[in-house]
């Protein structure tokens, strides 16, 4: 487990530079989850470290394989200095712990609901999980382990989350693209859903 996390942290540092801050959260019955903060010009990126220590397993599986199964870490990018986004550390750790706590398999296209704002005053209370392979390349592990995928999180307003449930992740992403939505803007409103 420690070996995998060391490789994951090295991949994050290679892709995003040196973290300027880190925090850790431990939930009862789970492994520690860390959240690293990286500054990149006017963008701040938050990346989880610890979610990939164990493979995610189908909650209905009778036997859980300790090696096989998808592994992931979460990455959130927002514009710096516009909102108190550093308060996102605990919500991100909660999302990263959800596979251990709730048996959730986090995959692209999924919605993750926080039950409250992403940070104080945020217009977002859920996120859309996007495809990996862009900002941080997947990390290959020795077989039979699956690669660690670094999944970007796209904040959603309540209206966008409701629309996504009806129309699907692809249509919401196309809507954002066609309207030129700045998904890194921590203060943005909901995209037009007419």
């Amino acid at each position: 487990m420690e070996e995998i996390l060391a490789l994951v942290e090295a991949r994050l540092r290679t892709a995003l530079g040196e973290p300027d801050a880190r925090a850790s959260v431990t939930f009862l019955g789970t492994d520690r989850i860390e959240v690293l903060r990286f500054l990149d010009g006017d963008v701040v990126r938050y990346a989880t470290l610890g979610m990939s220590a164990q493979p995610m397993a189908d909650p209905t599986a009778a036997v859980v394989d300790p090696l096989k199964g998808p592994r992931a870490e979460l990455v959130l990018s927002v514009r710096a200095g516009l909102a108190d986004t550093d308060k996102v550390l605990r919500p991100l750790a909660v999302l990263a712990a959800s596979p251990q706590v709730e048996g959730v398999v986090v995959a692209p296209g999924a919605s993750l609901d926080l039950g409250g704002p992403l940070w104080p005053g945020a217009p977002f209370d859920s996120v859309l999980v996007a495809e990996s392979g862009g900002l941080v390349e997947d990390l290959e592990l020795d077989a039979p382990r699956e690669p660690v995928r670094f999944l970007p999180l796209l904040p959603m307003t309540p209206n966008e989350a409701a629309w996504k449930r009806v129309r699907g992740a692809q249509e919401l992403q196309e809507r954002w693209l066609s309207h030129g939505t700045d998904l890194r803007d921590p203060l943005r409103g909901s995209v037009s859903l007419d």
Side-chain angles (χ1 to χ4, degrees), residues 14-176:
T14 299
L16 305 176
E18 287 298 310
D20 76 324
R22 65 192 311 145
S24 66
V25 180
T26 305
F27 303 99
L28 187 64
T30 68
D31 297 324
R32 183 180 77 214
I33 302 289
E34 289 189 271
V35 180
L36 285 64
R37 184 180 72 185
F38 301 86
L39 292 176
D40 180 14
D42 70 338
V43 174
V44 60
R45 302 185 198 285
Y46 301 94
T48 63
L49 178 63
M51 181 178 171
S52 62
Q54 306 293 331
M56 293 180 275
D58 182 342
T60 62
V63 178
V64 176
D65 189 314
L67 297 178
K68 293 182 182 174
R71 294 175 190 261
E73 296 291 352
L74 308 175
V75 180
L76 174 70
S77 300
V78 292
R79 298 228 176 274
L82 301 176
D84 190 10
T85 57
D86 279 349
K87 297 283 196 307
V88 77
L89 301 177
R90 185 167 178 77
L92 273 182
V94 167
L95 294 178
S98 62
Q100 289 182 55
V101 175
E102 301 170 22
V104 174
V105 176
V106 178
S111 298
L112 302 176
D113 192 357
L114 294 156
L118 201 48
W119 55 81
F124 319 107
D125 58 9
S126 62
V127 293
L128 175 64
V129 181
E131 291 286 341
S132 67
L135 186 62
V136 183
E137 285 184 40
D138 295 347
L139 173 65
E140 296 294 330
L141 300 175
D142 293 337
R145 293 181 174 99
E146 292 185 29
V148 176
R149 304 198 187 289
F150 298 88
L151 301 171
L153 300 180
L154 308 176
M156 293 188 294
T157 65
N159 285 347
E160 290 169 341
W163 201 79
K164 183 257 175 195
R165 280 191 294 277
V166 173
R167 305 293 277 280
Q170 185 65 36
E171 283 201 36
L172 178 58
Q173 288 177 306
E174 288 171 8
R175 178 66 52 131
W176 282 334

